[in-house]
Amino acid sequence: MNVQKHEVLISAIHDKFKKAGRRRMKMDVVVGDEDDAGQQDADASALEECAGAAVSALPINPKLFLRRYQGTWVLEPWVPGIVAIQRGFAPRRGDVVLASPPKCGTTWLKALAFATMARGAHPPAGDPRHPLLRANPHDCVPFMERLFAAGLGSKVMDALPSPRLMATHMRHSVLPASIADNPDCKIVYICRDPKDMLVSMWHFSRRIRPDLAFSDLFEAACEGSCLSGPIWDHVLGYWNASKASPERVLFLRYEEMLRDPVGNVVELSRFLGRPFSPAEEEAGVAMDVVRLCSFQKLKDLEVNRTGSGSSPLGGVVREGAFVNSSYFRRGEAGDWANHMTPEMARRLDAAMEEGLRGSGFSFS
Ligand code: PAP
């Protein structure tokens, strides 16, 4: 991975999001240089086509800012981004897509995958200039729906150095074939006990919706209409894909990563085609990656304590609502017990079991 080029690009993305944010991220705002005009026109027309009338015709959950698109609930401002990805994502050999439902460990996985891939240029221990010490993981690995929704998808993706690392919350059936069926593209999926996912999502959402009742989110999750819901379908899509093509889809669980982070990083590095060498094993580099990306280490960094990222919702929320610190709350398994009665837990577990029945996968 050409990390220097990557860093220059990431700071360019930041500038563009700042500019786009100032203009309220309107669908027709596409910022960039004149020589990108052709590609941006294509991005802009894809966005315009699916903005407005088409999006407003989709089923809505106004409490959660969601629209139902192709059987799943997505943030309204991201629908045009997803359509643009489906129409215009240009794959490249070696692409790696980090996929997840929201609040299931994306930030952690981004950090681990980035540190693993970049370890040649930036050793995870003893490099005071390591990008992860200076930037939030979300600024090191771009989020596809958000980029494409801002009209920056093709431009930024084309400029990323290979092998490209990118992330998505799209469910498997919504991915374009250029990712899902591409033998040259790998997918790393992470999921988490939906009860903890829900609690994490509630705390996160309350930063922009302080009035959001936990019960509203809970009911939506049980009915399959929370963000990325039905969650059982989200999980099943990637579970089945990983069973069918284990060399292309790696299926991870947040709780397993907490239990054995080094083992999971070793597996991740093998899957990504960057196994740790005997010398690296001897030197404990996998453990260095785990330490660099640990919850406490990242949470305590200046950039993550005080830095302000751009809002993943674009113009529909207050600027700065999702500051970097909002991605680091407790980083544990089992916090659901502080928010749900045993009866609520049984209900959500039962909905998940029902949805996953016969798949061979279970959260319990
Ligand atoms: P996103 O969907 O907005 O990207 P995501 O990173 O998937 O969020 O989830 C955030 C959760 O991961 C938070 O969980 P909590 O609310 O239950 O605490 C966050 O604390 C946790 N998290 C972030 N970084 C790490 C890390 N390095 N190790 C473990 N957990 C982490």
Side-chain angles (χ1 to χ4, degrees), residues 100-108 110-111 138 169 192 196 199-201 203-204 254 258 293-296 298 326-332 335:
S100 57
K103 314 322 289 179
C104 288
T106 324
T107 312
W108 192 13
K110 282 184 175 187
H138 290 282
H169 286 326
R192 181 183 195 186
D196 280 335
V199 167
S200 184
M201 196 186 287
H203 283 284
F204 192 71
Y254 183 83
L258 285 178
C293 302
S294 76
F295 176 79
Q296 209 57 49
L298 294 181
S326 42
Y327 294 93
F328 306 94
R329 195 181 62 92
R330 291 176 70 126
E332 300 164 356
D335 189 31

Side-chain angles (χ1 to χ4, degrees), residues 53-136:
V55 174
S56 62
L58 296 172
I60 186 169
N61 178 338
K63 269 191 185 163
L64 304 180
F65 298 132
L66 305 179
R67 293 277 180 179
R68 199 174 74 219
Y69 178 70
Q70 297 187 344
T72 185
W73 290 90
V74 298
L75 283 171
E76 183 169 26
W78 289 353
V79 176
I82 294 172
V83 175
I85 291 167
Q86 291 178 327
R87 290 183 187 171
F89 175 72
R92 202 190 284 165
R93 193 182 181 80
D95 280 348
V96 178
V97 176
L98 309 179
S100 57
K103 314 322 289 179
C104 288
T106 324
T107 312
W108 192 13
L109 181 58
K110 282 184 175 187
L112 291 170
F114 183 87
T116 300
M117 299 287 275
R119 69 187 193 272
H122 289 284
D127 175 7
R129 299 285 301 159
H130 197 291
L132 284 168
L133 298 177
R134 296 179 289 124
N136 181 272

